[in-house]
Structure formats: C-alpha cells, structure tokens
C-alpha cells in the first residue's frame, strides 16, 4: 500500500489529485470545528467534558461517529455524512420496491444520475429534520442530559432558524466537497470523507484509553505505567483485528462462468471463461448500521416515556454493555445481513442475464437450477459473513470486559469496517490509475 502511494506521488497527474483531495479534506475538517451561529462554545466544551465521563452521548453515537466529533460541538458540519448515508440507503431499498426507481437503475448512466439527484434532494430534507431536532435539543438543554449550561446565546426564533439553515447548508457543502473529490481527486469522495471523520477520533480515543487507568503523580496529563501497558495492548489487538478484517473483506467465492460461441452478424462471439465474484461479507457495513438504528428506538422511547416499567426495563437491559443488549445486537446484525444480501443480489436476475448472453455454470443447467445454485452459494457465504460482522461489532464490548476501555476502543464495530473498506478501495483505485500509466505490471 505504501509503495502505491509512493509511486502515485512520483506521477504528476496523480500527485495533483492527491494534493487536491488533501486540500478538500482540510476544508472539511475545518468546518467540523467551526461552531454554528448563536452557539456558546464555552458552555458546549464544559458539557462535552461532563458527557465524556458518562454515557449521555450514547444515543447519538452513530451520528457522532460519522461527524468526527462535530455533532457535540454544534459545528457548521455537525450532521456530517449521516444524512447522505441515510438517504442513499433509503433510495437503495426503495429501488427494490418502487418499479419506477428499478427502471431508472436499469437505464445505465442516465438513470443512475437521476437516482443520485433524488438522493441529494432527500439528503437536504433529512438534514433539515436532523438539524431541527438537534438544535431543539440544544435549546431545551437536552443535548447533554445533566448539564445545566446554556448552549445558545439566544432562544429567539430567528437565531434558531439561522442555526438550522447553517447546519443544513453545511450538509449541502459536504455533498459538494464529496463530489469534487470523486471528480477531481482520488477515491470515492463520500467514502474518503467518512474515513477522515472516523480516523480523526482515533488519537483522542487511544489517549483516553491510556489515561483510563490513572495518571502519573503530579502530572494529570501523562498516563501511569499500567495505562501505557493497556495502550500498548490496545495497539497490538487493534493491528490484529485490522489484519483479520482486511483478510475477510477481500475473501470471495469465484463462481466460474463459461460463454458459448455464437454468431453475431458475420463474427463469431463468445467462447470466453469468466467468474462471478461473491464476497463473504456481501452486505458490507450496512447490517451494523441497521442494527444500531433499531436499538436506538427503544432507547428513545425510554428517554421520552421515563418512569413506567417498560422504560425501566429498557434502561436496565437495553443499554450498551448489558448482555441482553449485546445479544440482541448480534442477532439483529445476522438478520439484517441476510435481509440486505437478499435484496441486493438477485439470483433470478443474474441467472437470466447469463442465459441471455449464452453463459452457464459448468455442471449446472441454465434456468432454475442455476438460480437455486446461486441462492445456495449465497446463503452458505452469508452465514460466516454475518457471524464475522457480529463479532467485529462486539469487539468494543469484549475490549471493555478484558481491558476496561469502556466505549473508547476504536478498533472495532462500524469504524474499523469502514476504515479498512475505504482504505482498500482507495488503494485499488490508485493502483488501477498507475497501471494505466505504467504497463510493467502486465508484462511480469
């Protein structure tokens, strides 16, 4: 990977793209620390320090993850990438349900551009809703439960509307920056920005783990010997987890496909052999996001309907760290892994496309037998893939039990899956662009 980046920096065209991407990411990170208008930044910092010692920010942990810490700073980029991710997932699910969207998807580039435009519109709508909700929580003092500081200077209608419009505009700017990276930079813009926001929290999380076992006498900012030991163990475990995730993310089953020779006009076409790659983790990180979102619903109910027996049970058992929560989380990930794979990979459609172009799987008859064979292989691969996702998602809880790192362990859950996936995809894109300029790799 390092050699790919080194070779890219020696190529003038790629070097300009990498520097342009770094410039956009710097602007992106700058917007994540600039507070929105009417925000009392001193009060926000005081409440953030109090929240970091407890679990009051756990309800917004997913959005906080994708905002790189900007949410609880009430910055202009407070919503981060989350509205765009949510809109993309909604459009992807609706494509299976709504025939009009399915027809657009099959139209190729023009249909994809139309769906992208719908995604932008839905992102703005979700950004308005999210920013209104979080600004309302900040104004009412519910963003940091237990903190009595006034987070805003004025509670008038115009300042509040200004805050909402600023955060919504920030989401629009984030979409624009992501498309700039995709068109003129390196990698997929939105994915690279997600990578940046998650990686930005790694140093603070690692240092918090080092300080969790106490500090040196007379120096509250320096960990003691036990803290340094836990810090070193965290790095070793993190590197091992990252290596395992890289291995699993690249694992795939290649189903061979042969195409019969056929006459097209005066030319003899076909006769080639290729394969259908089916990844072990075909669903990616989506099942983890779906499972986390589902478990936030009862927590929201318990927060707004406190005092009744159901809310008390939810507060006791369906909170992070509880064995019931972790078990339900694990089972939901397995369920959503099968669900998402079933709507994104259609064996009937793949079989029909193969039959249309004269393709067949050796030893398997075309038509219904091919459909059943593909469904069987997909089911067999989804089983270890879903278990792998569940184990990775539970790594922070396991680290809490073994190392006492609470919820600060960064090498697990959604964060490590996204970082590894985006890193591998970006390196592959750089290598493909290098091969376009240097054919040495084809001659070996």
């Amino acid at each position: 990977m390092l050699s790919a980046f080194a070779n890219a920096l020696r190529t003038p065209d790629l070097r300009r793209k990498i520097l342009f991407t770094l410039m956009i990411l710097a602007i992106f990170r700058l917007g994540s620390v600039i507070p929105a208008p009417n925000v009392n930044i001193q009060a926000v910092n005081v409440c953030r320090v109090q929240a970091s010692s407890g679990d009051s920010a756990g309800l917004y942990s997913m959005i906080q993850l994708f905002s790189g810490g900007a949410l609880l700073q009430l910055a202009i980029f407070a919503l981060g990438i989350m509205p765009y991710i949510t809109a993309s997932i909604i459009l992807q699910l609706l494509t299976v349900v709504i025939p009009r969207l399915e027809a657009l998807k099959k139209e190729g580039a023009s249909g994809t551009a139309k769906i992208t435009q719908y995604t932008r519109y839905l992102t703005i709508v979700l950004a308005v809703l999210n920013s209104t909700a979080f600004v309302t929580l900040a104004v009412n003092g519910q963003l940091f439960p237990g903190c009595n500081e006034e987070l805003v200077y004025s509670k008038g209608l115009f300042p509040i509307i200004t805050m909402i419009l600023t955060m919504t505009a920030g989401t629009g700017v984030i979409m624009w920056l992501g498309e700039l990276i995709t068109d003129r930079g390196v990698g997929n813009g939105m994915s690279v920005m997600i990578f940046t926001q998650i990686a930005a929290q790694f140093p603070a999380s690692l240092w918090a783990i080092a300080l969790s076992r106490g500090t040196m006498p007379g120096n509250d900012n320096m960990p003691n010997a036990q803290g340094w030991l836990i810090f070193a163990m965290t790095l070793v475990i993190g590197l091992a987890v990252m290596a395992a995730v890289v291995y699993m993310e690249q694992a795939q089953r290649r189903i061979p496909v042969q195409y019969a020779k056929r006459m097209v006009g005066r030319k003899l076409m076909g006769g080639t052999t290729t394969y259908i790659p089916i990844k072990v983790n075909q669903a990616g990180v989506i099942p983890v996001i779906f499972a986390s979102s589902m478990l936030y619903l009862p927590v929201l109910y318990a927060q707004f309907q406190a005092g009744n027996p159901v809310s008390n049970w939810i507060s006791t058992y369906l909170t992070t760290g509880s064995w019931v929560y972790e078990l339900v989380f694990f089972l939901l990930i397995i369920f959503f892994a099968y669900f998402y794979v079933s709507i994104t990979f259609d064996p009937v459609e793949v079989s029909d496309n193969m039959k249309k172009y004269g393709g067949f799987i050796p030893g398997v008859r075309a038509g219904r037998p091919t459909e059943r064979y593909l469904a069987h292989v997909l089911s067999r691969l989804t089983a270890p893939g879903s278990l792998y996702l569940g184990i990775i998602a539970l790594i922070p809880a396991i680290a809490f039990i073994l190392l006492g790192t609470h919820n600060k362990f960064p090498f697990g859950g959604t964060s490590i899956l996204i970082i590894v996936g985006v890193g591998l995809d970006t390196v592959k894109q750089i290598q493909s662009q290098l091969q376009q300029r240097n054919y040495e790799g084809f001659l070996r």
Side-chain angles (χ1 to χ4, degrees):
M1 186 176 78
L2 294 178
S3 62
F5 278 104
N7 293 330
L9 291 175
R10 298 191 191 101
T11 306
D13 186 27
L14 276 178
R15 182 169 63 245
R16 284 194 298 269
K17 289 185 176 183
I18 291 175
L19 293 177
F20 178 81
T21 302
L22 293 177
M23 182 189 70
I24 296 296
L25 293 179
I27 297 173
F28 181 45
R29 286 302 301 160
L30 181 63
S32 300
V33 297
I34 298 177
N38 195 39
V39 174
N40 186 348
I41 191 62
Q42 289 82 10
V44 169
N45 290 333
V46 171
C47 292
R48 285 178 60 239
V49 172
Q50 294 180 8
S52 64
S53 60
D55 198 30
S56 59
L59 184 61
Y60 322 113
S61 59
M62 185 61 65
I63 300 179
Q64 176 73 349
L65 175 69
F66 290 116
S67 69
L71 170 64
L72 298 186
Q73 296 182 33
L74 294 177
I76 59 176
F77 288 170
L79 301 181
I81 314 290
M82 197 61 182
Y84 183 84
I85 294 175
T86 306
S88 301
I89 293 173
I90 291 175
L91 262 297
Q92 191 172 10
L93 295 177
L94 290 180
T95 301
V96 184
V97 179
I98 301 177
R100 170 60 179 165
L101 293 177
E102 186 177 3
L104 284 176
K105 184 180 179 181
K106 294 179 179 179
E107 288 181 4
S110 61
T112 303
K114 199 69 175 179
I115 294 177
T116 302
Q117 194 69 16
Y118 292 156
T119 304
R120 293 171 186 159
Y121 295 148
L122 183 58
T123 299
I124 297 300
V125 173
L126 293 176
V128 172
L129 296 176
N130 289 341
S131 59
T132 302
F134 290 119
V135 169
T136 303
L137 290 175
V139 171
N140 296 335
Q142 297 178 349
L143 185 63
F144 299 96
C147 183
N148 298 321
E149 299 286 338
E150 291 289 342
L151 302 181
V152 296
Y153 290 110
S154 174
K155 296 184 179 181
L157 181 61
F158 180 75
I160 292 176
I161 292 178
T162 302
M163 293 177 65
I164 293 173
L165 291 179
T166 300
M167 292 183 182
T168 303
T171 301
V173 172
I174 288 174
M175 282 196 298
W176 177 60
L177 294 177
E179 291 178 0
L180 283 179
I181 293 177
T182 303
D183 296 337
R184 302 173 55 185
V186 176
N188 181 279
M190 289 299 175
S191 299
V192 173
M193 294 171 79
I194 295 173
F195 178 95
T196 304
Q197 294 293 66
I198 296 176
Q201 300 185 80
F202 267 54
S205 298
L206 290 173
W207 193 246
I209 290 174
L211 294 174
S212 62
R213 294 304 178 94
T215 58
M216 296 287 290
N219 191 347
D220 294 336
N221 296 322
M222 188 60 62
N224 56 21
Q226 189 177 14
W228 283 116
L229 177 61
I230 295 297
F231 180 81
M233 292 175 61
T234 301
L235 286 180
V236 172
I237 294 175
L239 291 176
V241 171
M242 191 172 296
V245 171
V246 170
Y247 177 79
M248 289 297 295
E249 289 297 316
Q250 292 183 315
Q252 59 181 225
R253 167 78 179 272
R254 296 181 176 182
I255 300 178
V257 178
Q258 291 183 356
Y259 287 91
K261 294 182 179 180
R262 55 197 176 95
M263 293 296 297
V264 179
R266 294 185 176 182
K267 294 184 178 180
L268 185 64
M269 308 292 291
T272 60
T273 301
T274 182
Y275 60 87
I276 302 175
I278 302 180
K279 297 179 63 177
V280 173
N281 181 22
Q282 187 77 5
V285 73
I286 300 299
V288 182
I289 297 177
F290 278 6
S292 301
S293 302
M294 288 295 294
L295 286 176
Y296 287 156
L297 297 178
V299 177
L300 277 172
Y301 172 82
Q303 184 179 16
F304 291 106
Q305 299 290 333
N308 58 51
V310 177
S311 298
N312 293 335
W313 187 88
I314 292 174
S315 302
T316 303
Y317 293 104
L318 282 184
T319 55
T320 306
S322 168
W323 70 270
V324 177
Y325 175 91
E326 305 300 342
L327 177 61
V328 173
F329 188 37
F330 184 81
L331 295 177
L332 281 177
I333 289 174
I334 295 177
F335 168 76
F336 282 118
Y338 276 93
F339 171 75
Y340 190 74
V341 168
S342 66
I343 66 175
T344 54
F345 187 94
D346 187 4
V348 176
E349 182 181 0
V350 175
S351 175
D352 290 342
N353 291 334
M354 289 170 51
K355 188 176 181 180
K356 184 186 302 182
Y357 295 102
F360 63 93
I361 300 174
V364 181
R365 295 183 61 183
R368 294 296 296 275
T370 299
E371 297 173 13
R372 290 194 294 266
Y373 177 78
L374 290 175
H376 174 72
V377 172
L378 190 64
S379 176
R380 293 285 297 272
L381 285 178
T382 305
S386 60
L387 292 176
Y388 148 76
L389 282 177
I391 293 173
I392 293 296
L394 294 182
I395 282 179
I398 298 173
F400 168 66
I401 296 174
L402 299 180
L403 303 177
T405 58
H406 194 50
N407 58 355
K408 302 180 179 66
F409 190 80
F411 298 102
T414 311
S415 58
I416 195 67
L417 292 171
I418 293 176
I419 282 187
V420 171
V422 175
L424 290 174
D425 182 64
T426 304
V427 170
K428 288 178 181 177
Q429 290 195 27
I430 292 176
Q431 289 177 340
S432 65
Q433 294 192 37
L434 284 173
Q435 288 180 349
Q436 293 176 4
R437 296 165 175 82
N438 183 6
Y439 293 92
E440 180 184 355
F442 296 107
L443 301 177
R444 289 178 180 173

